[in-house]
């Protein structure tokens, strides 16, 4: 079972259209999965059709709204309901605290269902960041199926993230996306994101 957990902390047509395009591709991936002729058109490797059964590709959508954007709820739900390929939509209203992290953790904790795979999305206002994220994770239905396939055949994988957007204190800048380097690390080593002062700031920011 697969779920999309979306945290909406802000709203604009640009942000929502990018997120909707991503969700549509996940839904299309499920439809391709249920229709072997469509899937074969997307993939020459029939293993995708044989190994990903529709029974384990159920799809739910969870959305949290902060109070500032809850007025857009009906419009958002209506646009999602026009899509095909998902099972349920769950919405919640949350306080604007803890950025996207607190709402996501609450979504997970409050879900009555247990999922095999979870896709986390949030309303990133940075257009380049949002575009890169959605293109990497859900740019096409085939891309979505490829990611699901990777989780199924490689037990060692616990997370797939946008290329160049995950790093540790010893990661070299050359491994990061150029935009991330330009935005945060032109004059600093990557390790600065993990120093004591940064950890203190993040602890305060995410204190629930």
């Amino acid at each position: 079972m697969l779920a999309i957990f979306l945290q909406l902390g802000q709203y604009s047509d640009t942000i929502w259209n990018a997120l909707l395009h991503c969700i549509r591709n996940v839904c299309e991936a499920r439809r391709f999965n249920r229709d072997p002729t469509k899937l074969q058109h997307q993939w020459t490797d029939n293993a995708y059709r044989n190994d990903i059964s529709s029974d384990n590709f159920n799809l739910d959508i969870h959305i949290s709204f902060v109070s500032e954007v809850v007025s857009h709820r009906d419009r958002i739900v209506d646009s999602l309901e026009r899509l095909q390929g998902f099972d349920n939509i769950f919405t919640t209203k949350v306080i604007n605290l803890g950025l996207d992290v607190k709402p996501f953790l609450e979504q997970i904790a409050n879900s009555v269902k247990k999922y095999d795979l979870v896709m986390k999305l949030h309303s990133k206002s940075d257009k380049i960041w949002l575009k890169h994220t959605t293109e990497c994770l859900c740019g096409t239905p085939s891309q979505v199926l490829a990611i699901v396939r990777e989780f199924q055949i490689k037990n060692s994988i616990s997370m797939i993230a946008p290329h160049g957007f995950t790093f540790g204190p010893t990661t070299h800048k050359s491994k990061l996306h150029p935009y991330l380097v330009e935005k945060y690390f032109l004059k600093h080593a990557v390790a600065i994101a993990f120093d004591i002062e940064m950890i203190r700031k993040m602890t305060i920011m995410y204190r629930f």
Side-chain angles (χ1 to χ4, degrees), residues 5 8 19 21 27 37-38 46 58 66 70 75 77 83 108 122 126 135 143 146 152 156 169-171 182 199 203:
F5 286 85
L8 278 175
L19 294 171
H21 179 72
C27 292
T37 60
K38 288 184 179 180
N46 289 334
N58 294 325
V66 299
V70 74
R75 178 185 177 187
V77 171
L83 303 178
I108 294 289
H122 75 280
D126 187 315
E135 285 182 349
Q143 209 166 358
Q152 289 190 321
S156 60
T170 61
T171 303
E182 181 181 353
I199 292 174
T203 301

Coordinates of all heavy atoms in Angstrom, one line a residue, residues 5 8 19 21 27 37-38 46 58 66 70 75 77 83 108 122 126 135 143 146 152 156 169-171 182 199 203:
F5 N 1.6 11.8 1.6 CA 1.4 12.7 2.7 C 1.8 14.1 2.3 O 3.0 14.3 2.1 CB 2.1 12.2 3.9 CG 1.5 11.0 4.6 CD1 1.8 9.7 4.1 CD2 0.6 11.1 5.6 CE1 1.3 8.6 4.7 CE2 0.1 10.0 6.2 CZ 0.4 8.7 5.8
L8 N 0.4 21.2 3.4 CA 0.1 22.5 2.7 C 0.2 23.6 3.8 O -0.7 23.8 4.5 CB -1.2 22.5 2.1 CG -1.3 21.9 0.7 CD1 -2.8 21.9 0.2 CD2 -0.5 22.6 -0.3
L19 N 2.3 20.5 -7.5 CA 1.9 19.3 -6.6 C 0.9 18.5 -7.3 O 1.0 17.2 -7.2 CB 1.5 19.8 -5.2 CG 2.5 20.6 -4.4 CD1 1.8 21.2 -3.2 CD2 3.6 19.6 -4.0
H21 N 0.3 18.1 -10.4 CA 1.0 17.3 -11.5 C 1.7 16.1 -11.0 O 1.6 15.0 -11.6 CB 2.0 18.2 -12.3 CG 2.7 17.6 -13.4 ND1 2.1 17.2 -14.6 CD2 4.0 17.1 -13.5 CE1 2.9 16.6 -15.4 NE2 4.1 16.6 -14.8
C27 N -1.0 8.7 -9.6 CA -2.2 8.1 -9.9 C -2.2 7.4 -11.3 O -2.7 6.3 -11.4 CB -3.4 9.1 -9.9 SG -3.8 9.8 -8.3
T37 N -1.6 -3.1 -20.9 CA -1.3 -2.6 -22.3 C -0.6 -1.2 -22.1 O 0.3 -0.8 -22.8 CB -2.5 -2.5 -23.1 OG1 -3.5 -1.7 -22.5 CG2 -3.1 -3.9 -23.3
K38 N -1.2 -0.4 -21.2 CA -0.6 1.0 -21.0 C 0.8 0.9 -20.4 O 1.7 1.6 -20.7 CB -1.5 1.8 -20.1 CG -2.8 2.2 -20.7 CD -3.6 3.1 -19.8 CE -4.9 3.6 -20.5 NZ -5.7 4.4 -19.6
N46 N 9.0 -6.4 -19.1 CA 7.7 -6.9 -18.6 C 7.7 -7.2 -17.1 O 6.7 -7.4 -16.5 CB 7.2 -8.1 -19.3 CG 6.8 -7.8 -20.7 OD1 6.4 -6.7 -21.0 ND2 6.9 -8.8 -21.6
N58 N -2.4 -0.1 -3.7 CA -3.5 0.8 -3.3 C -2.9 2.2 -2.9 O -1.7 2.3 -2.5 CB -4.2 0.2 -2.1 CG -4.9 -1.1 -2.5 OD1 -5.4 -1.2 -3.6 ND2 -4.9 -2.0 -1.5
V66 N -2.7 24.1 7.1 CA -2.6 25.1 8.2 C -3.8 26.1 8.0 O -4.4 26.2 6.9 CB -1.3 25.9 8.2 CG1 -0.1 24.9 8.3 CG2 -1.1 26.7 6.9
V70 N -6.5 26.8 4.7 CA -7.7 25.9 4.8 C -8.8 26.4 3.9 O -9.7 25.6 3.5 CB -8.1 25.7 6.3 CG1 -8.8 26.9 6.8 CG2 -8.9 24.5 6.4
R75 N -11.5 23.6 -3.0 CA -10.9 23.6 -4.4 C -9.9 22.5 -4.6 O -9.9 21.9 -5.7 CB -10.3 25.0 -4.6 CG -9.7 25.1 -6.0 CD -9.0 26.5 -6.2 NE -8.4 26.6 -7.5 CZ -7.6 27.6 -7.8 NH1 -7.3 28.6 -7.0 NH2 -7.0 27.6 -9.0
V77 N -9.5 19.6 -2.9 CA -10.1 18.3 -2.9 C -10.9 18.1 -4.2 O -10.8 17.0 -4.7 CB -11.0 18.2 -1.7 CG1 -11.9 16.9 -1.7 CG2 -10.2 18.2 -0.4
L83 N -9.2 13.3 -10.5 CA -8.2 12.3 -10.9 C -8.8 10.9 -10.7 O -9.7 10.7 -10.0 CB -6.9 12.5 -10.1 CG -6.2 13.8 -10.1 CD1 -5.0 13.8 -9.1 CD2 -5.8 14.2 -11.4
I108 N 1.4 10.8 10.1 CA 1.8 9.4 10.2 C 1.2 8.8 11.5 O 0.6 7.6 11.5 CB 3.3 9.3 10.3 CG1 3.9 9.7 8.9 CG2 3.8 7.8 10.6 CD1 3.7 8.7 7.8
H122 N 5.5 18.6 0.3 CA 5.0 19.8 1.0 C 5.1 21.0 0.0 O 5.8 21.0 -1.0 CB 5.7 20.1 2.3 CG 7.1 20.6 2.2 ND1 8.2 19.8 1.9 CD2 7.6 21.9 2.3 CE1 9.3 20.6 1.9 NE2 8.9 21.8 2.1
D126 N 10.0 27.8 -2.7 CA 11.1 28.0 -3.6 C 10.8 27.3 -4.9 O 10.8 26.0 -4.9 CB 12.4 27.4 -2.9 CG 13.7 27.7 -3.7 OD1 13.7 27.5 -4.9 OD2 14.7 28.1 -3.0
E135 N 10.1 16.8 -10.2 CA 10.6 16.2 -11.3 C 11.4 14.9 -11.0 O 11.3 13.9 -11.7 CB 11.6 17.1 -12.1 CG 10.8 18.2 -12.9 CD 11.8 19.1 -13.7 OE1 13.0 19.0 -13.4 OE2 11.3 19.9 -14.5
Q143 N 8.5 7.1 -14.0 CA 9.4 7.4 -12.9 C 8.9 6.8 -11.6 O 9.6 6.3 -10.8 CB 9.6 8.9 -12.9 CG 11.0 9.3 -12.4 CD 11.2 10.8 -12.7 OE1 10.4 11.4 -13.3 NE2 12.3 11.3 -12.2
A146 N 9.2 3.1 -11.5 CA 10.6 2.8 -11.3 C 11.1 2.9 -9.8 O 11.8 2.0 -9.3 CB 11.5 3.6 -12.2
Q152 N 11.0 -2.4 -4.0 CA 10.6 -3.8 -4.0 C 11.7 -4.8 -4.1 O 11.7 -5.9 -3.5 CB 9.5 -4.1 -5.0 CG 8.2 -3.5 -4.7 CD 7.1 -4.0 -5.7 OE1 7.3 -4.1 -6.9 NE2 5.9 -4.2 -5.2
S156 N 17.6 -3.0 1.1 CA 18.5 -2.0 1.8 C 18.0 -0.6 1.6 O 18.5 0.3 2.4 CB 19.9 -2.2 1.3 OG 20.0 -1.9 -0.1
P169 N 27.4 15.5 7.2 CA 28.5 16.5 7.5 C 29.8 16.3 6.7 O 30.5 17.2 6.6 CB 28.7 16.2 9.0 CG 28.1 14.9 9.3 CD 27.0 14.7 8.3
T170 N 30.0 15.1 6.2 CA 31.2 14.8 5.4 C 31.0 14.8 3.9 O 31.9 14.5 3.2 CB 31.9 13.5 5.9 OG1 30.9 12.4 5.6 CG2 32.2 13.5 7.4
T171 N 29.8 15.1 3.5 CA 29.5 15.1 2.0 C 30.2 16.2 1.3 O 30.2 17.4 1.8 CB 28.0 15.3 1.8 OG1 27.3 14.2 2.5 CG2 27.6 15.2 0.3
E182 N 24.8 26.8 -4.2 CA 24.7 28.3 -4.4 C 23.9 28.9 -3.3 O 24.2 30.0 -2.8 CB 24.1 28.6 -5.7 CG 23.9 30.1 -6.0 CD 23.3 30.3 -7.4 OE1 23.1 29.4 -8.1 OE2 23.0 31.5 -7.7
I199 N 22.2 23.0 15.1 CA 21.4 22.0 15.7 C 20.5 22.7 16.8 O 19.3 22.3 17.0 CB 22.2 20.9 16.4 CG1 22.9 20.1 15.2 CG2 21.4 20.0 17.3 CD1 23.9 19.0 15.7
T203 N 16.5 22.7 16.7 CA 15.7 22.1 17.9 C 14.7 23.1 18.3 O 13.5 22.7 18.6 CB 16.7 21.8 19.0 OG1 17.7 20.9 18.6 CG2 16.0 21.3 20.2

